[in-house]
Amino acid sequence: KKQHKKNKKDDRGPPEKEKEKEKASVLAPSKPATQSPAHKGTASKYVPLRSDYGYKVSLFSHLHQYSRKNPPTQQISIPATVIHPSIVRLGLQYSQGIIAGSNARSVALLHAFKQVIQDYSTPPNEELSRDLVNKLSPYISFLSQCRPLSASMGNAIKYIKKEISNIPSQCKEEEAKRRLQECIDSYINEKIILASEAISKYAIEKISDGDVILVYGCSSLVNHILCEAFEKQRKFRVIVVDSRPRLEGREALRRLVKKGIRCTYVLISALSYILPEVSKVFLGAHALLANGYVMSRVGTSQIALVAKAYNVPVLVCCETYKFCERVQTDSFESNELDDPDDLIVTRNGKTHLENWQTVKSLGLLNLVYDVTPPDFVDLVITDLGMIPCTSVPVVLRVKNVDQ
Amino acid sequence: MDGWWGCYNTVLIADKQQKKSRIHDPGEVSVWFRKCSSVQNQRFTETLVKMPGADKETDLSERIESFLSELKRCGSGAGSLRGSAETARETTALLRRITAQARWSNAGDLMEIIRKEGRRMTAAQPSETTVGNMVRRVLKIIREEYARSRGSTEEADQQESLHKLLTSGGSSEDNFRQHFAHLKANIIEAINELLTELEGTTDNISMQALEHIHSNEVIMTIGRSRTVEAFLKDAARKRKFHVMVAECAPFCQGHEMATSLSKEDIETTVIPDAAIFAVMSRVNKVIIGTQTVLANGGLRAVNGTHTLALAAKHHSTPLIVCAPMFKLSPQFPNEEDTFHKFVSPHEVLPFTEGEILSKVNAHCPLFDYVPPELITLFISNIGGNAPSYIYRLMSELYHPEDHEL
C-alpha cells in the first residue's frame, strides 16, 4: 500500500466523498477536510495529493490553488499500471491549460475513455460492468487533482458509468467494448456536435443585418454561431471583450478575423465605453444551474450587469448536457482558483508584484468562474429551443424522465 | 545692482526716505531707481536691476512655455507623470508669478492676462482639468479682492448676484478698471493662502478616515489614487480591515497600490477587473479616487469605475469618492467625443499579435463617466458632501462668468 506524504494543506475531502461528488457532478470539493490517510478508499489510494501553492485569500480557503509550474506528475511518480497513460497525458493537458473550454475538455475526456475501454481486459472472476467502473475511479480522482472537473465532464462521466453498469452480464467482452465505444461516439455526436448545429440554427434567427454583437472570451459555441451566421450572409460586426490574465479573447479574435468578420477588440474595463454601440450580447456558458443562474467565465456577470444597465439584450448559448442539478447563489462556494502568478505583469521594466509571496499581507486572487443571476439574462438558446433562464429545472426533469 | 531676482519679485526697499516695504510694480521700481543715487542702493537687502521690460517678460514667458510643454508631455497613458495635486500647485505658483511679474495696472488687465494664459494652458492638455480649475480659482480671488478694495462687503456681493439674477440687467460693475495700490499685494497673499490650502488637502481628507471605516471591513478600490492610499493608511493605524484592489488593466496601477498598502500591514488582495462583480457581494464599502468631479456631481474617473459603481449599486454597497476640492470642475459631461481620451491601442493588443492587427480596431479609453446617482458620498478637504450639493460648492469656488475661460 502506498504511503502518502504528510499532508501539506488540510482541506482535501477524503476520497469517498470524492466519489460521491463525482456522482453528483459537483465541480470542486466543497466539504471541509477530515484528514487521515488511513481512511482513504481503496480506489484512490494510489493517487497522491497535490499540494496547494501560495497564499490563499481567506474567503476562498476552502478551494484549491495549484501552480501551473508544478505539474502533478513531477511531484509524485505514478506507476503505469494504476493510471492509464492516456489519462496521465490528459491530466497534464488540463493542468497546463493546453485543453481549455468545457466542450473541448469533455470531448478529450471521452476520447481518453474510449482508449481506456479499448485497452481494458476483464480480469478473471470479475464482471465487466462492475470492474470497469471501479477502474475508472482512480482516473477520475487523478484528473480532478490536475484540474477540478467541470459540470460537463461530470455529466459525461455519469452517463458513461450508467452505460457501463447497464451492460448485461452475459454480453461478451468484445461486444461490450464495441457497444460502449458506440455509446461514447453517439454521445459526442448528439450532445455536442449536433447540439451546436441546432443552437446555431436558432441563434441565427436572432441575428439581423446591421447588428453589432458583443462576445466575451473564447466560447467555441459562440464562435461557431458567428461563423455560421457570416456564411449565411448576415451583415454584422463583432466586438470582442477580453480580460486579464487569461486573454482568451485573442483566440476568438483570430478565428473570427480569419473568417473575415469585422472585429473590434477591447478590454473589459472599457465596457462602459463600448456598450452604447452594441445591439446584442452573446455569451457562452460553462454550466446552467438548477436555480437559473449561469456559471461561466469570470467577468460574464459583469458584462450582463452593464448590458442590463444599458438595456442591451443578453443571450446565453448552452447545450443541454451542461445543465446540472446544483444550486448556487454567488461565486464563492464552488469555484476554481487558478495560478495566482498569472496576475503578475511587467510594464515599463517594472514588476510590482514580483515578490508577492514575501509580503505577508498581500494576496492575489485569480478566479476562474462566476455566476450570473437570471434577471440579467434575457434568453437561453439550447438545442431544445429558446428558453428563459428559469426553465432549466424543467429541462432537467424532462431529461431525467427520458432516461 | 546685480542679478535678476527671479523668484518672487518682491522688492523690499528699505529706505530711510521712502519707508516703503511692500511690493512694487516693476515699472514703478525702475522709475524709482533713476531717482536714487548709487549710495542708497547699497542698503537694499534684495536688489532689482533696472531691466528693460522685454527681459522680464521673456523670462516669464519662458517659464510659461516650459510649463506648457510639460503639460503636453505628461498626457501619456498610465496616468500623469505627476499627480494632480502637483499640477495644481505648479499652476497656482505660475499664476502667482504672472500676477507679480506681468504688466498690469488694474484688475481687469490682470484678469485678461490670466485668462489668456489659462486658455493656452488648458489647450495644452485638455484632460488635465486641475489647470483650468486653478485658473478659475485665481480669477475668483481677483474679483473678491477687487470688491473688497472697493469697499463692498461679501454679503452685498451675494445679494448682488441674487439681485442680478432677478433683474438680469446691469453689467458686472465697472469692468474692474479702477486702480488700487494694494491690490497686487492682496491678490498675491490670497494666492499664497490658496497654495497652503492645496498643500494640506491630502491630510485633511485622511483625517476623516476613522469616521468612515469600521473594524473588519472589506473595502474595494480600483487603480491607484494617492488620496485613497493616504486615506486607507491613516485608517489602518487604528483599525483592522481588508482591502481588495482591482488592478485596472491595461496599465495595472492597482498593483502598485496593493504593494504600497500591504507594506503598511493592511490585508490586501489584488483581483483582476473581470472579478469585480463576482466578489462584490462580500464588500462592505467601495472607496475610489477620481480624475475630475463634474458640475452635476458625476465623475470622470479611470476606466472600469462605471462597472464598479454599477456592481456596488446592485449590491447596495455605498460608493465613497475621495476627491480634493481642486478637482471640482465646472464642466458638464457632454458628447462622447469631447469627454473621452484615448491612448495607443498597442496597450490592449500588442504588436506581437501582428497578423490580425491590421484587420482589427482596438480601443484603449482612459476615462469613464460615472453618473451622480451611483455615488453615495464625496469626501473632500472641506468635509463630506452628497453629490446633490456639488453645485453649491461650485458656486462658492468659481464665478459663473469664468466657467468659459
Side-chain angles (χ1 to χ4, degrees):
Chain A
K1 194 176 171 185
K2 193 167 182 182
Q3 291 297 328
H4 287 280
K5 294 190 193 141
K6 199 74 51 83
N7 196 21
K8 298 103 191 163
K9 289 281 193 279
D10 53 15
D11 24 351
R12 281 219 59 96
E16 297 96 12
K17 292 193 176 158
E18 275 183 335
K19 275 168 70 172
E20 290 160 22
K21 169 204 79 174
E22 285 144 24
K23 291 214 172 65
S25 71
V26 165
L27 278 175
S30 51
K31 301 197 183 128
T34 51
Q35 193 51 49
S36 51
H39 291 312
K40 285 252 189 316
T42 49
S44 318
K45 63 185 176 192
Y46 298 116
V47 179
L49 295 174
R50 195 175 169 197
S51 59
D52 285 338
Y53 167 74
Y55 168 70
K56 275 194 288 196
V57 180
S58 54
L59 286 167
F60 293 96
S61 49
H62 59 288
L63 299 174
H64 292 281
Q65 183 171 278
Y66 300 128
S67 161
R68 195 158 299 131
K69 285 204 265 298
N70 302 335
T73 45
Q74 267 182 10
Q75 297 165 337
I76 35 77
S77 61
I78 306 172
T81 47
V82 178
I83 310 245
H84 193 278
S86 64
I87 299 282
V88 177
R89 183 179 67 179
L90 186 67
L92 282 176
Q93 284 171 333
Y94 283 165
S95 72
Q96 300 298 109
I98 297 172
I99 296 186
S102 57
N103 278 346
R105 284 165 74 189
S106 310
V107 170
L109 176 74
L110 290 169
H111 281 297
F113 276 174
K114 265 173 63 173
Q115 186 69 38
V116 166
I117 292 174
Q118 184 76 28
D119 298 341
Y120 172 74
S121 53
T122 324
N125 303 332
E126 293 278 352
E127 277 210 28
L128 181 137
S129 55
R130 257 176 251 130
D131 186 57
L132 187 52
V133 176
N134 291 341
K135 277 278 181 348
L136 288 183
S137 300
Y139 302 167
I140 293 166
S141 58
F142 172 72
L143 288 177
S144 69
Q145 288 208 38
C146 295
R147 195 179 158 187
L149 295 180
S150 66
S152 50
M153 287 164 69
N155 286 345
I157 291 172
K158 246 192 344 178
Y159 174 76
I160 290 185
K161 286 191 174 174
K162 192 174 68 70
E163 287 300 313
I164 295 176
S165 336
N166 285 349
I167 300 262
S169 39
Q170 59 272 27
C171 198
K172 279 207 181 7
E173 187 174 318
E174 289 308 316
E175 170 70 21
K177 284 207 233 180
R178 193 187 53 78
R179 198 184 290 191
L180 284 174
Q181 305 222 0
E182 268 176 24
C183 278
I184 292 183
D185 279 336
S186 76
Y187 186 83
I188 295 180
N189 200 30
E190 277 173 36
K191 303 284 183 182
I192 301 179
I193 299 180
L194 287 180
S196 82
E197 297 290 325
I199 293 177
S200 308
K201 215 161 54 71
Y202 288 125
I204 289 175
E205 295 168 25
K206 290 291 174 193
I207 300 179
S208 20
D209 283 343
D211 259 348
V212 180
I213 297 181
L214 187 131
V215 299
Y216 176 61
C218 185
S219 163
S220 51
L221 186 54
V222 174
N223 291 346
H224 184 246
I225 291 174
L226 294 176
C227 294
E228 288 274 305
F230 189 72
E231 273 173 21
K232 295 222 165 54
Q233 313 299 329
R234 293 275 201 275
K235 306 270 178 296
F236 58 92
R237 67 183 177 93
V238 175
I239 298 180
V240 179
V241 176
D242 202 7
S243 76
R244 281 197 72 237
R246 287 179 160 236
L247 293 173
E248 290 171 330
R250 292 193 186 161
E251 187 54 46
L253 194 66
R254 266 179 231 123
R255 294 189 192 170
L256 295 174
V257 167
K258 213 155 64 142
K259 204 73 183 170
I261 303 177
R262 271 197 308 147
C263 292
T264 308
Y265 179 80
V266 287
L267 287 181
I268 197 171
S269 38
L271 194 58
S272 306
Y273 164 71
I274 205 87
L275 253 173
E277 297 177 14
V278 174
S279 61
K280 287 187 184 73
V281 177
F282 272 80
L283 298 173
H286 173 263
L288 242 63
L289 306 176
N291 57 343
Y293 279 64
V294 179
M295 177 171 236
S296 183
R297 185 67 80 219
V298 67
T300 313
S301 54
Q302 226 162 284
I303 298 205
L305 167 79
V306 186
K308 184 90 182 174
Y310 281 86
N311 280 329
V312 175
V314 174
L315 292 86
V316 171
C317 309
C318 183
E319 299 97 336
T320 44
Y321 86 104
K322 289 181 187 165
F323 286 17
C324 80
E325 276 144 7
R326 274 183 335 112
V327 288
Q328 198 176 333
T329 51
D330 59 28
S331 329
F332 290 86
E333 290 90 34
S334 174
N335 208 327
E336 191 185 326
L337 292 178
D338 208 357
D339 191 352
D341 287 336
D342 287 345
L343 286 180
I344 302 179
V345 71
T346 305
R347 285 193 52 92
N348 297 340
K350 278 196 284 212
T351 316
H352 290 283
L353 291 179
E354 203 161 4
N355 303 318
W356 70 276
Q357 307 252 31
T358 55
V359 183
K360 195 166 55 77
S361 33
L362 184 60
L364 302 184
L365 183 64
N366 192 356
L367 282 178
V368 180
Y369 299 117
D370 72 6
V371 280
T372 308
D375 23 336
F376 293 160
V377 177
D378 292 305
L379 188 65
V380 178
I381 306 181
T382 67
D383 37 328
L384 295 178
M386 301 197 256
I387 59 173
C389 247
T390 44
S391 300
V392 168
V394 174
V395 170
L396 281 173
R397 190 145 176 261
V398 164
K399 270 194 343 174
N400 285 343
V401 164
D402 279 347
Q403 288 161 3
Chain B
M1 290 250 285
D2 46 312
W4 164 246
W5 182 259
C7 189
Y8 269 72
N9 193 24
T10 57
V11 179
L12 298 176
I13 303 172
D15 183 65
K16 274 196 294 204
Q17 294 161 353
Q18 309 232 326
K19 291 210 185 330
K20 287 192 206 141
S21 61
R22 286 305 309 229
I23 306 141
H24 283 258
D25 179 61
E28 285 183 23
V29 171
S30 42
V31 165
W32 191 92
F33 251 100
R34 274 184 247 118
K35 284 200 228 152
C36 295
S37 66
S38 54
V39 175
Q40 288 162 330
N41 297 340
Q42 293 160 11
R43 284 190 228 126
F44 295 172
T45 48
E46 288 116 22
T47 59
L48 174 64
V49 71
K50 172 186 163 199
M51 286 284 206
D55 281 350
K56 251 192 324 241
E57 272 149 25
T58 47
D59 182 70
L60 181 60
S61 42
E62 262 175 39
R63 285 181 194 280
I64 297 179
E65 292 304 322
S66 71
F67 183 66
L68 285 176
S69 56
E70 263 205 64
L71 274 181
K72 279 189 197 135
R73 238 185 314 128
C74 81
S76 70
S80 31
L81 287 180
R82 48 198 181 162
S84 20
E86 269 185 64
T87 316
R89 238 176 286 139
E90 290 200 21
T91 315
T92 317
L94 187 63
L95 290 173
R96 180 177 58 190
R97 175 165 299 161
I98 294 178
T99 313
Q101 289 178 1
R103 291 176 162 280
W104 55 278
S105 56
N106 53 48
D109 286 344
L110 179 60
M111 280 173 36
E112 269 314 305
I113 296 174
I114 290 196
R115 229 181 244 131
K116 183 167 82 73
E117 296 304 330
R119 271 192 290 259
R120 285 179 65 202
M121 289 197 275
T122 44
Q125 188 63 254
S127 69
E128 191 63 59
T129 43
T130 46
V131 172
N133 295 346
M134 289 296 105
V135 171
R136 294 182 182 96
R137 289 289 287 270
V138 169
L139 287 174
K140 174 108 194 228
I141 286 176
I142 297 174
R143 284 173 198 267
E144 280 177 354
E145 292 299 328
Y146 182 79
R148 195 176 301 146
S149 303
R150 263 195 2 152
S152 44
T153 55
E154 283 193 35
E155 292 90 43
D157 262 347
Q158 280 178 359
Q159 279 173 10
E160 268 186 19
S161 62
L162 206 55
H163 182 74
K164 260 192 272 170
L165 216 69
L166 292 170
T167 56
S168 78
S171 58
S172 50
E173 298 123 31
D174 51 344
N175 295 339
F176 300 94
R177 289 290 156 209
Q178 229 172 323
H179 173 77
F180 291 108
H182 299 287
L183 188 61
K184 189 171 191 172
N186 293 345
I187 291 178
I188 294 193
E189 197 179 319
I191 296 184
N192 285 339
E193 275 173 25
L194 178 61
L195 272 172
T196 2
E197 182 196 318
L198 286 179
E199 269 158 39
T201 44
T202 317
D203 288 332
N204 283 339
I205 293 179
S206 356
M207 277 188 329
Q208 305 172 48
L210 284 175
E211 300 166 7
H212 296 280
I213 299 181
H214 60 75
S215 339
N216 246 352
E217 265 198 294
V218 179
I219 296 179
M220 183 179 275
T221 182
I222 186 169
R224 175 155 197 243
S225 162
R226 288 164 192 79
T227 318
V228 174
E229 204 179 315
F231 190 83
L232 293 175
K233 283 183 182 172
D234 198 272
R237 285 185 296 123
K238 295 234 179 80
R239 307 257 195 269
K240 271 249 150 285
F241 52 89
H242 189 132
V243 177
M244 297 205 154
V245 183
E247 65 178 8
C248 194
F251 303 109
C252 298
Q253 305 104 307
H255 293 187
E256 230 182 301
M257 174 90 156
T259 36
S260 135
L261 285 177
S262 56
K263 286 205 179 73
E264 305 284 325
D265 270 346
I266 303 177
E267 281 283 326
T268 321
T269 307
V270 178
I271 59 171
D273 297 331
I276 287 179
F277 186 78
V279 303
M280 182 58 81
S281 51
R282 295 293 176 275
V283 173
N284 299 119
K285 277 192 179 71
V286 180
I287 301 184
I288 54 175
T290 175
Q291 201 256 359
T292 308
V293 179
L294 300 165
N296 64 344
L299 299 182
R300 185 204 229 177
V302 77
N303 67 337
T305 313
H306 188 215
T307 312
L308 182 64
L310 283 172
K313 186 83 180 185
H314 182 261
H315 287 99
S316 297
T317 310
L319 177 71
I320 298 177
V321 180
C322 289
M325 270 293 113
F326 64 79
K327 287 193 178 169
L328 178 56
S329 162
Q331 295 168 340
F332 281 90
N334 293 335
E335 308 304 309
E336 298 301 315
D337 359 329
T338 49
F339 183 82
H340 282 287
K341 179 176 169 188
F342 298 88
V343 290
S344 158
H346 101 274
E347 308 280 353
V348 165
L349 196 59
F351 295 123
T352 45
E353 301 287 327
E355 323 90 52
I356 49 176
L357 264 184
S358 51
K359 311 192 184 106
V360 167
N361 299 335
H363 297 286
C364 188
L366 281 189
F367 299 123
D368 252 354
Y369 170 62
V370 182
E373 304 83 62
L374 301 176
I375 302 170
T376 318
L377 185 69
F378 278 100
I379 294 183
S380 68
N381 43 314
I382 57 179
N385 303 105
S388 46
Y389 191 64
I390 293 292
Y391 81 97
R392 191 88 193 114
L393 292 175
M394 216 178 54
S395 71
E396 285 172 20
L397 292 178
Y398 312 123
H399 194 273
E401 286 181 11
D402 295 331
H403 287 185
E404 280 293 319
L405 273 182

